[in-house]
Amino acid sequence: MPWKQGYTISDERSLTDSELRWPDGAGCCVAMTVDLSVASGPEGITAADLTTPEALFGANQGLAALREVLRRHAMRATFAVPAVIAHTHRDLVRSLTDEGHEIAAHGFRHEDVSGLERDEERQRIARTTEILADVTGGKPAGWFSLPRQGDRYAVGAVSPNTVDLLLEAGYLYLGNGLADDIPHYWVSDFASRRTLLTLPYYYHFDDQFFLMFPRKGTGLEHPDALLRNWRGEFAAQYRRGRYFHMTLHPQHIGWSNRLQMLDEFLAELRGYPSLWNPTAAECARYWLEAYPASAHLRLAPTIWQDYPGSLS
Amino acid sequence: MTTIDLDQQLVELRSAADAYAARHQFIPDLTWPEGVRIAVNFTCDFDAMLLRRLLNEPPMQLAKGEFGGRVGIWRLIELFDAHGVKATIFTPGRICELYPEALRAVVESGHEIADHMWEHRVPKEPGLEEDHLAKTVTALERIAGRRPVGTRSSHSAALLRQYGFIYRSERSADQRPYYEYDEGGGNGLLNLPMHYVIDDAMYFNFNWLGTDASAQRITDPERVGDIWWAAFRQQYSVGGYLNVCMHPFQSGRALRIAMLDRLIGKMKTLPGVWFPTCEQVARHCIDHHPPRAGTL
């Protein structure tokens, strides 16, 4: 087995707390992703998904309310936007950049790409990039592949080619990965040290897995657990000087009790001095310069052996 | 159906229950070393991404497990060391090839390395089962400098005894450590009971044991800390035992390390709390509450 292919996506060990530095001596990085997808299944956004009261709420009152809360707490977010949404809500998406938010790509229609042929996936990435560039006036720097509420795994899906194709298309970062809680490198080729910077994501800080989860009508509303996860992670990461991130969906977090909770949490968070709240692209640019893969990717040569009767 | 048939059913069911019960030897008069009121084993199942790989799960899932090897295990070592806790790391043999540096740090800090299967499965074919166990014992011995004596697996008791194992930590037929024997009444092993109530995966992992999205009730560390503290208090009051099962890819997340730090800190405010390795507990039980003559 070359390196640990098929087992790991990154190197042997994360950076320790003491190795971390943020711009201007900031003590902790705080990042926020807002997912504008309304896809319910692996095929991505369908006409049915777009024609629900929740989708309408998410694009109107929910998003407006969320933006207002972000504005109040001077929080900047990265909006993960499927090409379909950029196309159907062109002015809305464009207006987000005026408030200092970043627009990143989130698939053509937030479809599951894991089974796509390489050429098919390349075409989808190209078309998505083109549509977003047209709407925002600039090529997106980042690509997301976030999970949906009904997914089998709450982690998001990529194909064996995704990372390579994103590099080929000039993307700076992949917006969601789970191998670390700080930015880290996804190794697409061991020999040439070809890597794509990956920003951390974790479903315990994603509203959709706590609010009327797994679907509306279940009555399983656990905003308290979500809040305790946010608080607990923020406090712990702040103490360590690392990175805190949360993932929000306007159709979920924009609704009354949840919006109030977010508002209060952000007020608490803003009470801490020395936070750095970049967009994902700003964070990626800083990281690529401060911790370039050439110096910080610590890939040990493999000591793996193949045996009959064992996984290879 | 006649009365005779019903009576026959009673005989059969009773015999099944009796035979199962006879394979267990409890220790109702369990005592701990002088001054100890409760033994608490902190145990880690260090499979990282191996189980995900075994189930052919997609790359993002592998990355989720990888967190355990790149980040989680290091934080747990630091946490245990800060509290003077000696932990037991149940380690698949293959992890020796994936995260040797982390395992060397585990050994350096005086924690125990025990078996957690070769690649997180016990093959059904007896020859291959032994091959996997032998490989794991060799790999763990190379890292730890001594052979493992404990396992968290369903390896057959006869095979485990043959390779020098003295304990298993898997099931919970009693809250105290107890002995288990095979169908023939031999091959006794001490079992250090672990219960899903005190297992981080039950609360934090999405899709654990293949469950689908609608079955998920993921929760927060404060709630779990409260449950575990209540379990500890109850066992403390009866002079018992607690085995805390953690997975570095879950408990190694910063918010949970903080919860564990508070939990251990609270435990330490009470007198007589012992944080040994599983092997220390097993040796104490075997020495002071020996199994049936000649069985271990």
Side-chain angles (χ1 to χ4, degrees):
Chain A
M1 180 175 66
W3 183 51
K4 297 163 185 172
Q5 204 171 352
Y7 287 79
T8 59
I9 61 100
S10 195
D11 61 3
E12 329 304 314
R13 191 174 175 183
S14 174
L15 294 182
T16 59
D17 302 347
S18 60
E19 289 173 285
L20 279 181
R21 300 280 179 278
W22 298 109
D24 303 321
C28 183
C29 179
V30 174
M32 186 182 278
T33 302
V34 179
D35 180 2
L36 290 192
S37 172
V38 291
S40 56
E43 67 278 24
I45 299 168
T46 60
D49 292 330
L50 284 168
T51 53
T52 65
E54 288 75 23
L56 205 56
F57 171 77
N60 291 279
Q61 197 185 25
L63 180 58
L66 173 59
R67 289 168 78 163
E68 178 50 35
V69 167
L70 298 187
R71 205 170 14 241
R72 187 150 58 238
H73 299 287
M75 290 293 297
R76 295 155 75 223
T78 301
F79 284 72
V81 185
V84 165
I85 296 293
H87 181 76
T88 55
H89 297 80
R90 201 181 166 85
D91 294 339
L92 191 64
V93 168
R94 186 184 291 148
S95 71
L96 290 166
T97 58
D98 301 337
E99 288 159 36
H101 303 307
E102 175 188 342
I103 303 299
H106 193 197
F108 180 72
R109 57 200 287 173
H110 189 198
E111 66 276 41
D112 186 339
V113 297
S114 51
L116 291 182
E117 292 296 326
R118 193 181 170 97
D119 279 345
E120 165 78 19
E121 192 177 358
R122 182 191 284 114
Q123 271 179 36
R124 284 171 181 263
I125 290 172
R127 184 71 183 120
T128 300
T129 308
E130 198 174 77
I131 291 169
L132 284 170
D134 180 51
V135 170
T136 65
K139 226 179 117 174
W143 185 277
F144 283 78
S145 184
L146 292 161
R148 308 162 200 86
Q149 261 195 335
D151 285 359
R152 181 171 178 76
Y153 309 112
V155 294
V158 292
S159 81
N161 301 311
T162 305
V163 171
D164 210 41
L165 291 172
L166 291 176
L167 283 163
E168 198 180 288
Y171 277 89
L172 201 62
Y173 70 87
L174 174 66
N176 55 293
L178 287 96
D180 211 326
D181 59 9
I182 51 172
H184 54 286
Y185 291 100
W186 188 305
V187 180
S188 83
D189 183 62
F190 175 70
S192 64
R193 299 292 197 267
R194 189 169 154 84
T195 58
L196 179 60
L197 185 68
T198 303
L199 303 178
Y201 165 82
Y202 193 38
Y203 50 86
H204 276 271
F205 317 130
D206 184 335
D207 60 1
Q208 67 178 326
F209 295 109
F210 296 87
L211 308 176
M212 283 287 160
F213 176 83
R215 63 188 70 85
K216 66 170 177 168
T218 57
L220 296 171
E221 176 80 358
H222 298 301
D224 49 343
L226 176 63
L227 178 62
R228 286 192 292 264
N229 276 342
W230 284 344
R231 272 191 184 142
E233 178 74 356
F234 173 69
Q237 291 289 71
Y238 185 83
R239 208 160 41 237
R240 291 175 180 276
R242 285 173 88 89
Y243 184 107
F244 170 72
H245 74 95
M246 54 206 296
T247 305
L248 305 172
H249 297 75
Q251 71 271 34
H252 299 308
I253 201 71
W255 191 263
S256 55
N257 59 310
R258 303 142 172 195
L259 189 73
Q260 180 68 26
M261 178 181 88
L262 176 71
D263 193 15
E264 287 167 12
F265 173 68
L266 292 180
E268 252 175 65
L269 186 142
R270 275 300 186 198
Y272 285 76
S274 180
L275 300 180
W276 185 45
N277 167 227
T279 64
E282 285 167 2
C283 183
R285 286 196 185 95
Y286 166 74
W287 195 271
L288 288 163
E289 200 180 304
Y291 301 97
S294 55
H296 291 273
L297 186 70
R298 302 181 268 207
L299 290 173
T302 183
I303 51 171
W304 188 272
Q305 292 180 58
D306 278 333
Y307 302 100
S310 299
L311 286 171
S312 70
Chain B
M1 195 174 284
T2 66
T3 309
I4 307 293
D5 289 332
L6 294 177
D7 286 350
Q8 184 57 32
Q9 288 176 34
L10 291 177
V11 169
E12 281 168 16
L13 291 170
R14 179 175 185 138
S15 127
D18 285 352
Y20 184 73
R23 290 174 49 204
H24 297 76
Q25 179 192 349
F26 300 127
I27 310 176
D29 57 345
L30 177 73
T31 55
W32 295 119
E34 186 64 33
V36 172
R37 194 174 167 86
I38 185 172
V40 182
N41 280 148
F42 280 94
T43 65
C44 292
D45 291 2
F46 187 19
D47 32 87
M49 84 300 286
L50 261 186
L51 180 56
R52 319 265 71 81
R53 169 69 182 84
L54 188 73
L55 300 172
N56 271 321
E57 291 181 4
M60 291 288 195
Q61 280 286 98
L62 298 178
K64 176 173 99 170
E66 193 177 339
F67 185 93
R70 301 183 71 247
V71 190
I73 187 73
W74 295 99
R75 285 186 186 157
L76 286 162
I77 295 169
E78 198 177 64
L79 173 77
F80 298 144
D81 290 355
H83 282 288
V85 166
K86 292 299 176 204
T88 301
I89 315 298
F90 290 100
T91 308
R94 275 299 203 189
I95 291 293
C96 299
E97 292 165 81
L98 290 163
Y99 295 106
E101 198 194 329
L103 288 175
R104 278 191 285 271
V106 165
V107 174
E108 185 75 17
S109 289
H111 304 296
E112 177 189 358
I113 294 195
D115 167 73
H116 194 40
M117 302 163 278
W118 172 240
E119 54 188 24
H120 210 278
R121 72 182 179 113
V122 175
K124 287 192 181 65
E125 311 85 332
L128 191 58
E129 183 191 347
E130 177 164 3
D131 174 72
H132 276 202
L133 185 64
K135 278 198 180 70
T136 305
V137 167
T138 304
L140 298 185
E141 186 180 11
R142 198 174 295 141
I143 292 263
R146 56 195 298 265
R147 291 164 71 95
V149 297
T151 184
R152 181 164 282 158
S153 75
S154 59
H155 272 301
S156 79
L159 195 59
L160 289 168
R161 288 294 308 277
Q162 189 189 321
Y163 280 79
F165 284 80
I166 61 170
Y167 78 87
R168 196 196 300 271
S169 178
E170 255 220 328
R171 329 176 225 271
S172 44
D174 198 279
Q175 291 189 282
R176 292 155 298 200
Y178 59 92
Y179 294 99
E180 277 186 342
Y181 302 91
D182 65 14
E183 280 86 350
N187 293 309
L189 287 168
L190 187 79
N191 189 57
L192 298 174
M194 63 82 67
H195 196 285
Y196 282 163
V197 168
I198 320 291
D199 177 346
D200 60 357
M202 301 302 129
Y203 303 96
F204 302 134
N205 195 35
F206 203 90
N207 183 246
W208 194 235
L209 306 178
T211 48
D212 68 14
S214 64
Q216 310 306 316
R217 304 288 183 266
I218 51 174
T219 190
D220 64 276
E222 278 184 54
R223 180 167 171 266
V224 174
D226 288 348
I227 294 171
W228 292 3
W229 175 244
F232 168 83
R233 286 305 303 263
Q234 189 277 332
Q235 282 298 295
Y236 184 82
S237 72
V238 298
Y241 172 76
L242 190 72
N243 188 310
V244 182
C245 172
M246 295 165 293
H247 297 72
F249 75 90
Q250 294 170 124
S251 280
R253 292 272 171 183
L255 73 168
R256 298 179 193 135
I257 291 285
M259 176 274 272
L260 290 165
D261 185 37
R262 291 192 297 270
L263 181 69
I264 299 172
K266 271 204 300 195
M267 289 176 176
K268 285 165 70 178
T269 61
L270 297 174
V273 183
W274 186 32
F275 299 105
T277 63
C278 286
E279 179 181 357
Q280 284 175 281
V281 172
R283 295 215 183 273
H284 167 84
C285 291
I286 291 166
D287 289 348
H288 295 84
H289 305 277
R292 292 171 198 155
T295 52
L296 188 71

PDB file of all heavy atoms in Angstrom, chain B residues 137-158:
ATOM      1  N   VAL B 137      -0.794  -9.908  18.940  1.00  0.00           N
ATOM      2  CA  VAL B 137       0.065 -10.076  20.117  1.00  0.00           C
ATOM      3  C   VAL B 137       1.496  -9.666  19.770  1.00  0.00           C
ATOM      4  O   VAL B 137       2.146  -8.923  20.523  1.00  0.00           O
ATOM      5  CB  VAL B 137       0.005 -11.531  20.628  1.00  0.00           C
ATOM      6  CG1 VAL B 137       1.117 -11.810  21.634  1.00  0.00           C
ATOM      7  CG2 VAL B 137      -1.362 -11.814  21.255  1.00  0.00           C
ATOM      8  N   THR B 138       1.975 -10.091  18.613  1.00  0.00           N
ATOM      9  CA  THR B 138       3.336  -9.741  18.187  1.00  0.00           C
ATOM     10  C   THR B 138       3.486  -8.234  17.994  1.00  0.00           C
ATOM     11  O   THR B 138       4.453  -7.627  18.465  1.00  0.00           O
ATOM     12  CB  THR B 138       3.672 -10.454  16.846  1.00  0.00           C
ATOM     13  OG1 THR B 138       3.468 -11.857  17.041  1.00  0.00           O
ATOM     14  CG2 THR B 138       5.103 -10.208  16.427  1.00  0.00           C
ATOM     15  N   ALA B 139       2.504  -7.645  17.318  1.00  0.00           N
ATOM     16  CA  ALA B 139       2.585  -6.203  17.035  1.00  0.00           C
ATOM     17  C   ALA B 139       2.532  -5.388  18.330  1.00  0.00           C
ATOM     18  O   ALA B 139       3.315  -4.442  18.512  1.00  0.00           O
ATOM     19  CB  ALA B 139       1.445  -5.788  16.099  1.00  0.00           C
ATOM     20  N   LEU B 140       1.633  -5.755  19.231  1.00  0.00           N
ATOM     21  CA  LEU B 140       1.502  -4.999  20.484  1.00  0.00           C
ATOM     22  C   LEU B 140       2.741  -5.198  21.359  1.00  0.00           C
ATOM     23  O   LEU B 140       3.201  -4.267  22.032  1.00  0.00           O
ATOM     24  CB  LEU B 140       0.237  -5.412  21.252  1.00  0.00           C
ATOM     25  CG  LEU B 140      -1.110  -5.165  20.551  1.00  0.00           C
ATOM     26  CD1 LEU B 140      -2.277  -5.510  21.487  1.00  0.00           C
ATOM     27  CD2 LEU B 140      -1.259  -3.723  20.086  1.00  0.00           C
ATOM     28  N   GLU B 141       3.283  -6.412  21.348  1.00  0.00           N
ATOM     29  CA  GLU B 141       4.475  -6.688  22.150  1.00  0.00           C
ATOM     30  C   GLU B 141       5.657  -5.857  21.656  1.00  0.00           C
ATOM     31  O   GLU B 141       6.446  -5.333  22.443  1.00  0.00           O
ATOM     32  CB  GLU B 141       4.821  -8.183  22.099  1.00  0.00           C
ATOM     33  CG  GLU B 141       5.971  -8.547  23.022  1.00  0.00           C
ATOM     34  CD  GLU B 141       6.323 -10.031  22.988  1.00  0.00           C
ATOM     35  OE1 GLU B 141       5.823 -10.754  22.103  1.00  0.00           O
ATOM     36  OE2 GLU B 141       7.119 -10.459  23.847  1.00  0.00           O
ATOM     37  N   ARG B 142       5.743  -5.713  20.345  1.00  0.00           N
ATOM     38  CA  ARG B 142       6.844  -4.941  19.779  1.00  0.00           C
ATOM     39  C   ARG B 142       6.789  -3.482  20.240  1.00  0.00           C
ATOM     40  O   ARG B 142       7.799  -2.862  20.512  1.00  0.00           O
ATOM     41  CB  ARG B 142       6.769  -5.010  18.241  1.00  0.00           C
ATOM     42  CG  ARG B 142       8.074  -4.634  17.561  1.00  0.00           C
ATOM     43  CD  ARG B 142       8.001  -4.857  16.063  1.00  0.00           C
ATOM     44  NE  ARG B 142       7.840  -6.259  15.712  1.00  0.00           N
ATOM     45  CZ  ARG B 142       7.066  -6.717  14.713  1.00  0.00           C
ATOM     46  NH1 ARG B 142       6.359  -5.864  13.994  1.00  0.00           N
ATOM     47  NH2 ARG B 142       6.986  -7.991  14.450  1.00  0.00           N
ATOM     48  N   ILE B 143       5.587  -2.949  20.358  1.00  0.00           N
ATOM     49  CA  ILE B 143       5.435  -1.548  20.792  1.00  0.00           C
ATOM     50  C   ILE B 143       5.563  -1.418  22.308  1.00  0.00           C
ATOM     51  O   ILE B 143       6.204  -0.506  22.815  1.00  0.00           O
ATOM     52  CB  ILE B 143       4.030  -1.009  20.359  1.00  0.00           C
ATOM     53  CG1 ILE B 143       3.956  -0.887  18.830  1.00  0.00           C
ATOM     54  CG2 ILE B 143       3.701   0.299  21.059  1.00  0.00           C
ATOM     55  CD1 ILE B 143       4.217   0.473  18.251  1.00  0.00           C
ATOM     56  N   ALA B 144       4.930  -2.336  23.036  1.00  0.00           N
ATOM     57  CA  ALA B 144       4.814  -2.171  24.490  1.00  0.00           C
ATOM     58  C   ALA B 144       5.967  -2.826  25.253  1.00  0.00           C
ATOM     59  O   ALA B 144       6.163  -2.565  26.434  1.00  0.00           O
ATOM     60  CB  ALA B 144       3.485  -2.751  24.971  1.00  0.00           C
ATOM     61  N   GLY B 145       6.704  -3.721  24.585  1.00  0.00           N
ATOM     62  CA  GLY B 145       7.792  -4.410  25.268  1.00  0.00           C
ATOM     63  C   GLY B 145       7.312  -5.583  26.108  1.00  0.00           C
ATOM     64  O   GLY B 145       8.097  -6.222  26.790  1.00  0.00           O
ATOM     65  N   ARG B 146       6.021  -5.834  26.102  1.00  0.00           N
ATOM     66  CA  ARG B 146       5.478  -7.004  26.797  1.00  0.00           C
ATOM     67  C   ARG B 146       4.175  -7.425  26.128  1.00  0.00           C
ATOM     68  O   ARG B 146       3.530  -6.640  25.456  1.00  0.00           O
ATOM     69  CB  ARG B 146       5.239  -6.708  28.276  1.00  0.00           C
ATOM     70  CG  ARG B 146       4.337  -5.518  28.539  1.00  0.00           C
ATOM     71  CD  ARG B 146       4.446  -5.066  29.980  1.00  0.00           C
ATOM     72  NE  ARG B 146       4.015  -6.126  30.888  1.00  0.00           N
ATOM     73  CZ  ARG B 146       2.785  -6.229  31.385  1.00  0.00           C
ATOM     74  NH1 ARG B 146       1.856  -5.340  31.064  1.00  0.00           N
ATOM     75  NH2 ARG B 146       2.458  -7.212  32.202  1.00  0.00           N
ATOM     76  N   ARG B 147       3.827  -8.689  26.330  1.00  0.00           N
ATOM     77  CA  ARG B 147       2.637  -9.206  25.660  1.00  0.00           C
ATOM     78  C   ARG B 147       1.364  -8.691  26.331  1.00  0.00           C
ATOM     79  O   ARG B 147       1.342  -8.503  27.542  1.00  0.00           O
ATOM     80  CB  ARG B 147       2.644 -10.743  25.717  1.00  0.00           C
ATOM     81  CG  ARG B 147       3.730 -11.368  24.866  1.00  0.00           C
ATOM     82  CD  ARG B 147       3.935 -12.816  25.262  1.00  0.00           C
ATOM     83  NE  ARG B 147       2.814 -13.658  24.864  1.00  0.00           N
ATOM     84  CZ  ARG B 147       2.763 -14.357  23.729  1.00  0.00           C
ATOM     85  NH1 ARG B 147       3.777 -14.308  22.877  1.00  0.00           N
ATOM     86  NH2 ARG B 147       1.731 -15.112  23.446  1.00  0.00           N
ATOM     87  N   PRO B 148       0.317  -8.455  25.542  1.00  0.00           N
ATOM     88  CA  PRO B 148      -0.944  -8.023  26.164  1.00  0.00           C
ATOM     89  C   PRO B 148      -1.554  -9.170  26.969  1.00  0.00           C
ATOM     90  O   PRO B 148      -1.383 -10.333  26.619  1.00  0.00           O
ATOM     91  CB  PRO B 148      -1.826  -7.688  24.955  1.00  0.00           C
ATOM     92  CG  PRO B 148      -1.272  -8.509  23.835  1.00  0.00           C
ATOM     93  CD  PRO B 148       0.208  -8.619  24.085  1.00  0.00           C
ATOM     94  N   VAL B 149      -2.237  -8.847  28.057  1.00  0.00           N
ATOM     95  CA  VAL B 149      -2.909  -9.878  28.860  1.00  0.00           C
ATOM     96  C   VAL B 149      -4.425  -9.682  28.871  1.00  0.00           C
ATOM     97  O   VAL B 149      -5.146 -10.460  29.465  1.00  0.00           O
ATOM     98  CB  VAL B 149      -2.381  -9.914  30.309  1.00  0.00           C
ATOM     99  CG1 VAL B 149      -0.898 -10.288  30.322  1.00  0.00           C
ATOM    100  CG2 VAL B 149      -2.623  -8.588  31.020  1.00  0.00           C
ATOM    101  N   GLY B 150      -4.882  -8.615  28.203  1.00  0.00           N
ATOM    102  CA  GLY B 150      -6.317  -8.348  28.201  1.00  0.00           C
ATOM    103  C   GLY B 150      -6.820  -8.099  26.796  1.00  0.00           C
ATOM    104  O   GLY B 150      -6.053  -7.763  25.891  1.00  0.00           O
ATOM    105  N   THR B 151      -8.124  -8.256  26.627  1.00  0.00           N
ATOM    106  CA  THR B 151      -8.715  -8.046  25.309  1.00  0.00           C
ATOM    107  C   THR B 151     -10.102  -7.429  25.444  1.00  0.00           C
ATOM    108  O   THR B 151     -10.789  -7.645  26.449  1.00  0.00           O
ATOM    109  CB  THR B 151      -8.823  -9.380  24.535  1.00  0.00           C
ATOM    110  OG1 THR B 151      -9.323  -9.114  23.215  1.00  0.00           O
ATOM    111  CG2 THR B 151      -9.778 -10.351  25.213  1.00  0.00           C
ATOM    112  N   ARG B 152     -10.474  -6.665  24.442  1.00  0.00           N
ATOM    113  CA  ARG B 152     -11.886  -6.291  24.272  1.00  0.00           C
ATOM    114  C   ARG B 152     -12.261  -6.832  22.900  1.00  0.00           C
ATOM    115  O   ARG B 152     -12.042  -6.184  21.880  1.00  0.00           O
ATOM    116  CB  ARG B 152     -12.072  -4.781  24.387  1.00  0.00           C
ATOM    117  CG  ARG B 152     -13.527  -4.356  24.246  1.00  0.00           C
ATOM    118  CD  ARG B 152     -13.772  -2.941  24.725  1.00  0.00           C
ATOM    119  NE  ARG B 152     -13.833  -2.855  26.180  1.00  0.00           N
ATOM    120  CZ  ARG B 152     -13.618  -1.739  26.883  1.00  0.00           C
ATOM    121  NH1 ARG B 152     -13.308  -0.620  26.263  1.00  0.00           N
ATOM    122  NH2 ARG B 152     -13.702  -1.751  28.209  1.00  0.00           N
ATOM    123  N   SER B 153     -12.763  -8.058  22.904  1.00  0.00           N
ATOM    124  CA  SER B 153     -13.058  -8.760  21.653  1.00  0.00           C
ATOM    125  C   SER B 153     -13.884  -9.984  21.983  1.00  0.00           C
ATOM    126  O   SER B 153     -14.044 -10.346  23.146  1.00  0.00           O
ATOM    127  CB  SER B 153     -11.762  -9.228  20.994  1.00  0.00           C
ATOM    128  OG  SER B 153     -11.239 -10.353  21.702  1.00  0.00           O
ATOM    129  N   SER B 154     -14.375 -10.637  20.928  1.00  0.00           N
ATOM    130  CA  SER B 154     -15.086 -11.898  21.153  1.00  0.00           C
ATOM    131  C   SER B 154     -14.218 -13.078  20.743  1.00  0.00           C
ATOM    132  O   SER B 154     -14.728 -14.136  20.386  1.00  0.00           O
ATOM    133  CB  SER B 154     -16.399 -11.892  20.364  1.00  0.00           C
ATOM    134  OG  SER B 154     -16.121 -11.733  18.984  1.00  0.00           O
ATOM    135  N   HIS B 155     -12.891 -12.912  20.766  1.00  0.00           N
ATOM    136  CA  HIS B 155     -12.010 -14.055  20.506  1.00  0.00           C
ATOM    137  C   HIS B 155     -12.380 -15.208  21.447  1.00  0.00           C
ATOM    138  O   HIS B 155     -12.794 -14.977  22.586  1.00  0.00           O
ATOM    139  CB  HIS B 155     -10.546 -13.655  20.756  1.00  0.00           C
ATOM    140  CG  HIS B 155      -9.865 -13.074  19.551  1.00  0.00           C
ATOM    141  ND1 HIS B 155      -9.736 -13.761  18.372  1.00  0.00           N
ATOM    142  CD2 HIS B 155      -9.266 -11.872  19.356  1.00  0.00           C
ATOM    143  CE1 HIS B 155      -9.099 -12.996  17.488  1.00  0.00           C
ATOM    144  NE2 HIS B 155      -8.800 -11.841  18.060  1.00  0.00           N
ATOM    145  N   SER B 156     -12.175 -16.433  20.976  1.00  0.00           N
ATOM    146  CA  SER B 156     -12.576 -17.578  21.795  1.00  0.00           C
ATOM    147  C   SER B 156     -11.681 -17.673  23.029  1.00  0.00           C
ATOM    148  O   SER B 156     -10.488 -17.364  22.989  1.00  0.00           O
ATOM    149  CB  SER B 156     -12.495 -18.871  20.980  1.00  0.00           C
ATOM    150  OG  SER B 156     -11.159 -19.305  20.915  1.00  0.00           O
ATOM    151  N   ALA B 157     -12.318 -18.063  24.130  1.00  0.00           N
ATOM    152  CA  ALA B 157     -11.610 -18.096  25.409  1.00  0.00           C
ATOM    153  C   ALA B 157     -10.422 -19.058  25.363  1.00  0.00           C
ATOM    154  O   ALA B 157      -9.357 -18.778  25.909  1.00  0.00           O
ATOM    155  CB  ALA B 157     -12.582 -18.491  26.522  1.00  0.00           C
ATOM    156  N   ALA B 158     -10.597 -20.181  24.688  1.00  0.00           N
ATOM    157  CA  ALA B 158      -9.515 -21.176  24.638  1.00  0.00           C
ATOM    158  C   ALA B 158      -8.282 -20.575  23.969  1.00  0.00           C
ATOM    159  O   ALA B 158      -7.150 -20.723  24.448  1.00  0.00           O
ATOM    160  CB  ALA B 158      -9.985 -22.415  23.880  1.00  0.00           C
TER     161      ALA B 158
END
